[in-house]
Amino acid sequence: MLKSTIAAMTLACAAVGGAQAQGLSQTASALSEKALTDKTAWNVVESLTTEIGPRPVGSPAMERAKDWGLAKLKELGFENVHAEPFTTPAWSRGAESAEVVGPYPQPLHILGLGNSSPTPPGGLTAEIALFPTYRALLAQPPGSLTGKIAVVTEKMTRTQVGSGYGGINPNRTAGPLEAKKRGAVGYLTRSLSTDDTRLPHTGGSAPAGIPAAALSTPDAELLEHMVARGKPVTVRLNMASSSNPAAQAWNVVGEIRGREAPDEVIVIGGHLDSWDPGTGAFDDGAGIAITTAAAKLAGAQPPRRTIRVVMFGSEEQGGSSGAYLAAHKDEVGKMIVTGESDEGPGPIWTLNLPKGSADHPAMGAFLTAIGPLKVIVDRNPSSRGGADIQGLMAAGVPLIDLIPDANRYFDLHHSADDTLDKIDPADLAQSTAVWTAFLYTVANSDIDFRKLAAAAPATPTR
Ligand SMILES: [Zn+2]
């Protein structure tokens, strides 16, 4: 074929692609603008936090949350609304208290960590061994903490991407186990939090067979001041809890069915379960609200492809991701893209597209549509995802990362302060608008992220 003919054909294709992309972009712009004033996302998170509140996996509230999710999706016009049951281990908190017995007796503010063991009846009283960093705890030889309550008081760093949390996460998740290996009979960590209130922040930990709790950040500093005075400090913990090795859980699903390619599915969602102290507004009522509202807005006119919203049923204590993958392993090859909103209400300040897709007209249309929303496009391909979609990601489903500003997230996360009033409706709407534009452009194009990734050159670096 002559070079000029090829060039002419390429031009013709580009013209068709361009016209389609322009149409996609115009509608996506209009929809994302509509999302900025639409109240659906706010109404969803207001309803969930008010009518259900805290909803740990395995609790009666989580069962009510499942019924709430089914009713909400039906009310909003989703199709194929159903719950996919699975079982997963669940830990439940009982009564808890802590105090310094001596030399400066006073109460401490704690929250037990998920999978903590209960204390013996009458409580556990022991001298503390305090470490300013997790690394200092790990440097202790086996047996060196015998009979002690190990305390780690390392501070978490505030960052826009939430990387301070990732960096310090083992202090909570693996700390109890590492303390136990060295002989400790109990474990306390400074809350993985950036706030300065006296509310502790809970979270999951690996089962270690010892009582383990988070101290509020001022209480961690209080113990540091006591230890600095040189006398042995003794603490009493009283902690009750129970565990269910096979609690009933559900992933709650609703779809907007595609009109041309219904078996090509976009899978998005957040998690419906929450920790118990707050009402689960930031974590993750906001994610449920954003993804549900965006799917409804993007699917107001039946899309080409199916948009599926999954309200994952056990993120905090694990289980949703594996259960969802197991139930859908025969379908993953048809999943176009997946994404999870689980870092708060936003605003979304940056995003990473699936590898090799930035120059595709559909992604051009998406990025044009969200121009007014002030989102920085990171040139690196998406890689982050969320805990509930790790299974899908590992199975090769392409990923979209729409990343909210996390500066405030860890002031509230897993604490009694994770409540509705902390959500700025404008931030929630901006996030919904970004998701809406993405869903609309992908659901109404034939973009094939796997093909684009396979054809892409090596990953660009900054
Ligand atoms: Zn979460």
Side-chain angles (χ1 to χ4, degrees), residues 1 37 94 99 140 300 325 331 362 381 386 418 421:
M1 203 180 287
T37 53
E99 63 192 305
Q140 303 306 307
L325 178 64
E331 193 197 6
D418 182 2
D421 55 295

Side-chain angles (χ1 to χ4, degrees), residues 208-385:
I210 58 172
L215 291 156
S216 80
T217 59
D219 284 280
E221 293 184 18
L222 178 63
L223 289 181
E224 286 175 340
H225 288 293
M226 288 184 183
V227 166
R229 280 161 168 70
K231 293 182 189 165
V233 174
T234 302
V235 163
R236 177 152 56 233
L237 300 176
N238 258 298
M239 295 169 60
S241 59
S242 58
S243 296
N244 179 349
Q248 187 62 61
W250 303 266
N251 289 327
V252 176
V253 182
E255 291 183 339
I256 296 180
R257 297 286 291 168
R259 65 179 195 281
E260 282 177 31
D263 58 342
E264 294 181 13
V265 185
I266 301 165
V267 181
I268 57 156
H271 64 84
L272 192 53
D273 66 308
S274 76
W275 278 108
D276 50 335
T279 60
F282 261 56
D283 188 13
D284 185 25
I288 293 288
I290 289 163
T291 51
T292 301
K296 182 175 162 55
L297 284 156
Q301 299 299 322
R304 263 197 85 239
R305 293 164 154 170
T306 294
I307 303 172
R308 179 182 300 164
V309 174
V310 185
M311 299 179 174
F312 292 98
S314 182
E315 191 273 345
E316 299 296 2
Q317 299 198 38
S320 313
S321 169
Y324 192 77
L325 178 64
H328 296 272
K329 57 182 186 305
D330 297 336
E331 193 197 6
V332 290
K334 286 283 196 180
M335 291 179 184
I336 300 302
V337 68
T338 188
E340 179 166 16
S341 173
D342 185 20
E343 288 172 292
I348 289 170
W349 71 279
T350 188
L351 63 83
N352 301 76
L353 297 173
K355 188 179 177 186
S357 68
D359 295 329
H360 189 280
M363 289 300 93
F366 162 53
L367 297 178
T368 303
I370 62 165
L373 300 176
K374 300 187 169 65
V375 183
I376 296 165
V377 182
D378 189 322
R379 290 178 61 236
N380 293 297
S382 53
S383 62
R384 192 170 161 122

Side-chain angles (χ1 to χ4, degrees), residues 404-425:
D405 187 325
N407 266 306
R408 197 176 175 216
Y409 189 67
F410 294 100
D411 290 347
L412 309 167
H413 175 255
H414 297 183
S415 82
D417 255 349
D418 182 2
T419 49
L420 181 68
D421 55 295
K422 310 303 186 304
I423 295 182
D424 181 336

Side-chain angles (χ1 to χ4, degrees), residues 18 22 24 30 34 52 55 64 93 97 141 143 205 215 247-249 290 307-308 335 360 362 368 421 431:
Q22 202 179 11
L24 273 181
K34 188 175 175 207
I52 308 297
R55 41 197 186 277
R64 291 198 298 276
R93 185 185 317 285
S97 65
S205 64
L215 291 156
Q248 187 62 61
I290 289 163
I307 303 172
R308 179 182 300 164
M335 291 179 184
H360 189 280
T368 303
D421 55 295
S431 296

Side-chain angles (χ1 to χ4, degrees), residues 56-95:
V57 65
S59 70
M62 188 58 221
E63 183 162 6
R64 291 198 298 276
K66 177 260 297 177
D67 293 336
W68 171 92
L70 293 170
K72 190 60 67 183
L73 289 167
K74 284 178 189 161
E75 178 192 319
L76 291 170
F78 283 78
E79 301 158 86
N80 192 19
V81 174
H82 64 279
E84 300 179 2
F86 60 98
T87 57
T88 193
W91 176 91
S92 304
R93 185 185 317 285

